[in-house]
Amino acid sequence: MPFQFDHLRTLTALVDEGTFEAAARRLHVTASAVSQRIRTMEQTAGKVLVRRTNPVTTTPAGDVVLRYARQVVLLDGDVLAELRAGEGEGGRVSVPLAVNADSLSTWFLEALAEPPEDLGAVFDIHREDEEHTTSLLRSGAVMAAVTSTPEAVQGCTVEGLGVMRYLAVCGPAFAARHLGDPVDLDRLPTAPVVNFDRKDELQDQFLRELTGRAPEAPRHFIPASTDFAQTILLGLGWGVVPERQCREAIAEGRLVELAPDRPVDVRLYWQRWNLRSPLLDRVSERVRAAAATRLHPL
């Protein structure tokens, strides 16, 4: 389908920035020029591609064109990088990735810690639960994702990264107040619990496997990984925390591990577009290397 390159680049900028005005600033054109390019693409496709909401979202047809647009822009960046190797020229390719909050807080950023200019890229991180990151791949919003889904999204490849281990913990004072001394885990379903957000099922999963019951007590919702762990440390409730965020506090007695023999293990996978791209290959290599040193083996 004869979409012009500038129009494809405009679509990716519009989705990334969320508004016609912001996309125009990024592309150094007027908002009316952005609007005209999108209308031209819609006339070419014969379908509406974006919803004029705030922020702009893509329609199902727009998802298809967005995936194509990102692939074209990525390959264009790869070609320019090879042509300009050693010359210090060119802009940066935006690489959108989907990652769950706990991975962001405990290991994933280490994969990107080497100077991103070495890759000729900038990163656009979409934070999403590991069970839902694949939806961003399907829509074309991201090129790759950390996910708990082992089945490859259409047009993607998948490889195992490792196991992220979580431990059920609470503060000592909280344990004495709500669970007794010694701790009586049969009382856990009625003790206040901390959830990351309304998609977070780790606490329910742990409790069902341990006691066969779901939490019956009030829930706190703390949608930031570090703040989630801090909320539990401060004694507002119990929760399931990444091992890397709580091992030290357990050793120091600032947290109580509720079931040392019952960790919650989440298997993580790396899904990326099935596209020959030196840039995406290098990003994947970095993610693979970081996971190998920070996660438990699958």
Side-chain angles (χ1 to χ4, degrees):
M1 192 168 286
F3 292 117
Q4 296 181 32
F5 176 76
D6 279 350
H7 293 179
L8 294 171
R9 191 161 60 97
T10 298
L11 178 62
T12 64
L14 177 59
V15 173
D16 290 346
E17 300 298 332
T19 68
F20 286 84
E21 293 75 14
R25 289 193 294 271
R26 172 168 156 181
L27 297 170
H28 306 292
V29 298
T30 65
S32 61
V34 172
S35 180
Q36 180 58 48
R37 291 176 184 179
I38 298 300
R39 281 198 300 271
T40 299
M41 293 184 73
E42 291 176 329
Q43 290 168 0
T44 300
K47 295 184 177 182
V48 174
L49 301 181
V50 300
R51 303 180 185 92
R52 273 68 172 176
T53 53
N54 190 5
V56 166
T57 59
T58 48
T59 64
D63 290 345
V64 175
V65 179
L66 179 61
R67 286 196 297 270
Y68 172 67
R70 289 205 188 279
Q71 291 172 5
V72 170
V73 171
L74 175 64
L75 292 175
D76 178 74
D78 285 336
V79 170
L80 288 177
E82 289 191 41
L83 291 175
R84 295 169 175 172
E87 298 179 10
E89 299 181 20
R92 304 280 180 243
V93 177
S94 178
V95 180
L97 307 172
V99 188
N100 61 304
D102 290 335
S103 289
L104 272 177
S105 296
T106 57
W107 69 272
F108 187 82
L109 291 178
E110 297 175 22
L112 311 181
E114 296 178 46
E117 57 267 23
D118 292 352
L119 294 173
V122 292
F123 300 111
D124 182 5
I125 303 296
H126 296 244
R127 191 188 69 186
E128 182 56 274
D129 183 87
E130 65 271 11
E131 295 182 1
H132 298 87
T133 50
T134 51
S135 64
L136 296 175
L137 279 170
R138 291 189 185 94
S139 71
V142 301
M143 298 176 182
V146 174
T147 174
S148 61
T149 305
E151 296 80 22
V153 171
Q154 184 177 5
C156 293
T157 62
V158 60
E159 63 178 301
L161 289 175
V163 171
M164 175 167 278
R165 177 158 292 171
Y166 292 78
L167 306 177
V169 295
C170 68
F174 177 91
R177 184 166 63 253
H178 293 279
L179 304 176
D181 186 13
V183 168
D184 180 2
L185 293 179
D186 287 336
R187 295 170 59 179
L188 195 58
T190 60
V193 61
V194 183
N195 283 62
F196 183 85
D197 57 23
R198 284 166 176 79
K199 297 177 184 177
D200 179 10
E201 298 181 356
L202 285 180
Q203 283 68 225
D204 288 27
Q205 174 188 331
F206 169 79
L207 202 53
R208 282 194 300 269
E209 292 178 356
L210 185 70
T211 69
R213 297 162 60 188
E216 304 165 11
R219 297 174 185 253
H220 304 284
F221 294 96
I222 311 294
S225 185
T226 301
D227 295 337
F228 175 92
Q230 181 69 7
T231 298
I232 295 170
L233 192 63
L234 292 172
L236 273 74
W238 71 273
V240 180
V241 177
E243 181 181 42
R244 286 173 59 85
Q245 286 184 316
C246 65
R247 272 296 184 200
E248 183 177 340
I250 292 172
E252 295 173 349
R254 294 183 292 122
L255 284 176
V256 174
E257 187 174 0
L258 296 174
D261 59 339
R262 301 291 291 271
V264 177
D265 286 345
V266 176
R267 300 165 73 91
L268 296 180
Y269 302 86
W270 178 244
Q271 294 213 35
R272 52 160 286 186
W273 288 348
N274 187 14
L275 186 70
R276 294 183 62 85
S277 163
L279 173 55
L280 202 50
D281 288 346
R282 291 195 295 272
V283 172
S284 297
E285 288 169 5
R286 290 187 178 190
V287 171
R288 193 180 302 117
T293 61
R294 297 294 183 263
L295 300 178
H296 291 270
L298 284 170

